[in-house]
């Protein structure tokens, strides 16, 4: 048994009092902290995020309302213009007494298409984008454990297109007049629906404004040659909005050339068998080389300092391995700087992620053919924000869309044998979208540009006959 002295007891009592006092102070501090929790800096950050998000939502909603009103006006104006042109053609045909079965069938199809657009204008829809402008937040504990978990929903695009297209340019057949084209290649469509066309066979770039009867030569058009004011078989053109200039793949002159206002020219890259062009958001210019079977990029403002550029895909000789190409033509670069390449003579589309040593096959790659898992000399190439790939299937006379990781594609327009009907194609080449999501196709052997409007109809999803 332990005997405690009087002093020991007193010391213990004093220590206990100190513990009790500390407990009282801790209790007061705990109450204070609980009452002050609403003023914690994290709450302030959450409040700021809430205010900022609401502001962005309100601004976006207001802009979308404006776009809906603006779009409806343009939509019905477009129907009126097309109906007016049709009426003029009917009157002219009647005056010239040139009525035949072909004309009558075309008039009927156009009227049916206009009627469908008028009575079923469900083209406007709300689209949720994969790239969020409001970033979800969550709370992480000191042990890095999430206290909330938010997963944003992404709406997949299921756009389909009208079966019959609208001929925008080239109704007058192959030729060199301003209302004609000769083997159009790459195309670019701006926010005003003006089309810039690499008119390959006429050695010129043509600007064709919305609803115009003829184009305007804005580069070349001075005969075939290698002078600064001439072009020789241009395959592609892009518009550099920042410098208000055209960048042109002048293929047979083996150069990439820039034109300012149709007057001043500047050679950007020399000694390159160029075909496809693309520019990313950081102003890097990407060019395919069909001779070296590679893709290189250049910083647009520093091309003089780095004339060789940087290899981004291929460069391992001609072949069909995953690190090779065989005649690469058109390209597309997404926001992650992944490069999509139409590997024409390998009958496939390749995707090379940034700094990759080899690509992956994202369309075709099952030998040449007309089955839905095959391509035949692919040309024009687009990738939408959902990762869906649109391919101008040159040899199969159709446009095919491939979902991400799909084993086969689906025909969205064309595929009705080779021909010049409004639901047919003959060697589709360049592709472009306008701001409404309508699809533009340059047809190499029909010498025309056709627009396929967005539709609510389901696309043909079966197998076509070989041709």
């Amino acid at each position: 048994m332990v005997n405690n002295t009087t002093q020991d007891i007193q010391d213990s009592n004093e220590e206990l009092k100190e513990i009790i006092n500390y407990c009282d102070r801790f209790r007061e501090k705990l109450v204070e902290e609980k009452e002050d929790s609403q003023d914690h800096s994290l709450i302030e950050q959450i409040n700021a995020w809430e205010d900022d998000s609401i502001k962005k939502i309100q601004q976006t909603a207001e802009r979308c309302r404006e776009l809906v009103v603006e779009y409806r006006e343009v939509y019905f104006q477009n129907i009126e213009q097309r109906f007016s042109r049709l009426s003029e053609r009917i009157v002219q045909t009647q005056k010239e007494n040139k009525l035949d079965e072909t004309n009558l069938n075309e008039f009927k199809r156009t009227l049916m298409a206009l009627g469908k657009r008028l009575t079923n204008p469900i083209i406007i829809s709300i689209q949720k984008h994969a790239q969020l402008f409001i970033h979800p937040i969550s709370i992480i504990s000191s042990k890095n454990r999430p206290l909330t978990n938010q997963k944003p929903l992404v709406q997949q695009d299921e756009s389909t297109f009208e079966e019959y297209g609208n001929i925008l340019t080239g109704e007058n057949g192959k030729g060199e007049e301003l209302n004609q084209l000769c083997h159009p290649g790459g195309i670019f469509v701006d926010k005003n629906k003006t089309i810039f066309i690499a008119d390959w066979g006429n050695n010129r770039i043509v600007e064709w404004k919305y609803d115009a009867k003829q184009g305007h030569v804005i580069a070349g058009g001075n005969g075939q040659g290698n002078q600064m004011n001439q072009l020789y078989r241009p395959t592609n053109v892009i518009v550099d909005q920042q410098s208000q200039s055209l960048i042109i793949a002048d293929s047979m002159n083996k150069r990439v050339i820039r034109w300012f206002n149709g007057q001043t020219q500047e050679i950007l890259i020399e000694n390159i068998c160029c075909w496809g062009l693309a520019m990313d958001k950081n102003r890097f210019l990407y060019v395919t080389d069909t001779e070296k079977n590679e893709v290189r990029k250049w910083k647009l403002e520093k091309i003089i300092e780095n004339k060789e550029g940087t290899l981004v895909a291929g460069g391992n000789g001609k072949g069909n391995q995953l690190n090779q190409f065989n005649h690469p033509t058109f390209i597309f670069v997404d926001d992650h700087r992944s490069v999509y390449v139409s590997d024409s003579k390998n009958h496939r589309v390749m995707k090379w992620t940034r700094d990759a040593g080899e690509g992956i096959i994202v369309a075709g790659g099952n030998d040449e053919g007309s089955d839905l898992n095959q391509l035949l000399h692919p040309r024009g190439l687009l990738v939408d924000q959902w990762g869906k790939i649109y391919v101008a299937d040159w040899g199969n006379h159709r446009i095919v869309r491939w979902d991400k990781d799909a084993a086969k594609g689906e025909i969205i327009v064309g595929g009705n044998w080779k021909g010049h009907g409004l639901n047919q194609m003959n060697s589709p080449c360049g592709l472009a979208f306008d701001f409404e999501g309508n699809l533009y196709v340059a047809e190499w052997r029909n010498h025309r540009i056709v627009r396929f409007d967005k539709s609510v109809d389901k696309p043909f999803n079966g197998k076509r006959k070989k041709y």
Side-chain angles (χ1 to χ4, degrees):
M1 181 174 180
V2 178
N3 293 322
N4 294 324
T5 63
T6 302
Q7 186 62 43
D8 290 337
I9 295 174
Q10 289 177 348
D11 291 342
S12 296
N13 286 335
E14 289 295 327
E15 189 172 348
L16 180 59
K17 287 180 181 179
E18 289 181 5
I19 292 174
I20 292 173
N21 289 334
Y22 179 83
C23 287
D24 291 338
R25 290 195 300 273
F26 181 84
R27 187 177 294 107
E28 292 174 0
K29 184 66 174 177
L30 179 61
V31 172
E32 290 176 3
E33 289 294 328
K34 287 177 64 178
E35 292 176 350
D36 291 342
S37 64
Q38 292 301 317
D39 297 325
H40 196 279
S41 62
L42 285 176
I43 300 297
E44 294 177 358
Q45 292 178 46
I46 294 171
N47 292 340
W49 172 83
E50 180 184 29
D51 293 340
D52 182 62
S53 299
I54 291 172
K55 183 179 179 181
K56 287 181 178 179
I57 290 172
Q58 291 173 336
Q59 290 174 342
T60 302
E62 180 60 27
R63 177 56 182 152
C64 286
R65 281 189 285 267
E66 293 173 355
L67 286 174
V68 167
V69 173
E70 179 183 339
Y71 176 77
R72 287 183 62 84
E73 291 176 354
V74 172
Y75 181 82
F76 288 109
Q77 182 183 11
N78 176 260
I79 292 178
E80 289 175 349
Q81 291 171 344
R82 290 173 62 187
F83 179 69
S84 177
R85 289 201 303 271
L86 175 63
S87 300
E88 291 174 3
R89 290 180 62 193
I90 292 174
V91 171
Q92 187 66 28
T93 303
Q94 192 174 23
K95 283 182 180 179
E96 297 175 355
N97 197 24
K98 292 183 177 180
L99 283 173
D100 56 33
E101 186 176 353
T102 301
N103 288 335
L104 290 173
N105 288 336
E106 183 180 348
F107 294 156
K108 288 178 183 178
R109 286 197 302 266
T110 305
L111 273 174
M112 289 176 62
L114 287 174
K116 188 175 180 180
R117 286 174 64 82
L118 184 62
T119 58
N120 192 24
I122 317 177
I123 289 180
I124 305 174
S125 62
I126 294 176
Q127 192 167 267
K128 296 179 182 179
H129 296 282
Q131 294 180 345
L132 304 178
F133 67 96
I134 296 175
H135 299 286
I137 61 174
S138 59
I139 307 301
I140 306 296
S141 73
S142 59
K143 294 184 179 180
N144 213 27
R145 294 173 181 169
L147 303 182
T148 64
N149 184 19
Q150 302 180 46
K151 295 183 179 180
L153 298 176
V154 178
Q155 178 177 321
Q156 294 298 317
D157 179 55
E158 296 296 340
S159 297
T160 59
F161 298 86
E162 296 284 355
E163 180 181 0
Y164 293 92
N166 304 289
I167 300 175
L168 305 180
T169 70
E171 284 186 297
N172 300 290
K174 176 183 178 181
E176 60 182 15
E177 301 299 323
L178 290 178
N179 63 353
Q180 295 178 306
L181 300 172
C182 180
H183 298 302
I187 55 176
F188 183 98
V189 179
D190 71 9
K191 62 182 180 180
N192 299 315
K193 295 186 178 180
T194 297
I195 312 168
F196 298 83
I197 308 163
D199 193 4
W200 184 89
N202 286 321
N203 303 298
R204 66 190 184 185
I205 304 299
V206 177
E207 177 188 53
W208 206 295
K209 293 186 180 297
Y210 178 70
D211 210 30
K213 301 295 184 183
Q214 64 181 30
H216 171 64
V217 178
I218 54 175
N222 298 302
Q224 173 182 305
N226 61 4
Q227 300 301 308
M228 291 296 287
N229 69 338
Q230 293 179 307
L231 297 173
Y232 187 10
R233 301 295 186 251
T235 54
N236 210 344
V237 58
I238 58 177
V239 178
D240 180 12
Q241 304 286 0
Q242 183 169 312
S243 65
Q244 297 194 350
S245 64
L246 304 174
I247 299 175
I248 303 165
D250 191 10
S251 67
M252 295 302 290
N253 281 326
K254 293 189 175 183
R255 66 189 183 187
V256 177
I257 188 168
R258 175 160 35 192
W259 284 60
F260 297 92
N261 301 319
Q263 302 295 327
T264 308
Q265 300 85 31
E266 172 191 14
I267 296 176
L268 297 176
I269 307 167
E270 295 183 280
N271 301 315
I272 180 171
C273 290
C274 51
W275 188 297
L277 300 174
M279 186 161 63
D280 69 20
K281 60 184 179 181
N282 296 311
R283 296 183 59 74
F284 278 93
L285 178 65
Y286 297 72
V287 187
T288 58
D289 188 326
T290 57
E291 184 177 65
K292 295 181 179 178
N293 291 291
E294 65 183 23
V295 180
R296 287 185 176 270
K297 71 175 182 179
W298 288 260
K299 182 68 173 177
L300 200 53
E301 285 75 18
K302 296 182 178 181
I303 287 182
I304 296 178
E305 303 170 17
N306 180 20
K307 292 185 178 181
E308 295 300 316
T310 303
L311 180 68
V312 295
N316 297 296
K318 181 172 69 174
N320 60 7
Q321 300 302 307
L322 294 179
N323 66 345
Q324 294 178 307
F325 294 122
N326 188 355
H327 199 75
T329 55
F330 288 86
I331 52 174
F332 183 92
V333 181
D334 67 18
D335 288 341
H336 303 289
R337 300 193 201 176
S338 293
V339 180
Y340 297 77
V341 184
S342 283
D343 191 7
S344 178
K345 293 185 179 180
N346 280 327
H347 313 290
R348 66 188 185 184
V349 175
M350 302 290 292
K351 176 183 178 181
W352 288 62
T353 57
R354 188 177 176 185
D355 299 325
E358 63 180 28
I360 58 173
I361 299 172
V362 291
N366 296 296
D367 296 325
E368 63 179 85
S370 61
D371 289 340
L372 290 178
N373 68 341
Q374 295 177 308
L375 298 170
L376 184 57
H377 299 298
R379 289 290 196 271
L381 188 61
L382 296 172
V383 182
D384 67 18
Q385 59 190 317
W386 296 278
K388 296 176 184 285
I389 304 165
Y390 295 74
V391 185
D393 194 0
W394 162 284
N396 288 321
H397 315 291
R398 64 191 185 187
I399 309 301
V400 185
R401 179 170 61 194
W402 291 64
D403 286 351
K404 187 177 181 181
D405 301 323
K408 63 181 181 178
E410 60 176 349
I411 300 169
I412 56 170
V413 291
N416 298 300
W417 302 84
K418 175 175 66 176
H420 61 270
L422 295 180
N423 67 340
Q424 294 179 303
M425 295 182 180
N426 194 347
S427 303
C429 192
L431 295 180
F433 285 126
D434 64 21
F435 71 92
E436 294 176 337
N438 301 314
L439 179 65
Y440 294 67
V441 183
E443 293 186 54
W444 181 266
R445 291 197 173 98
N446 275 336
H447 314 287
R448 67 187 186 184
I449 311 297
V450 181
R451 186 189 70 228
F452 292 88
D453 295 329
K454 289 185 72 172
S455 167
V456 294
D457 293 338
K458 292 295 181 184
F460 179 84
N461 197 24
K463 178 179 176 181
R464 301 285 186 180
K465 294 180 180 180
K466 295 185 178 181
Y467 29 77

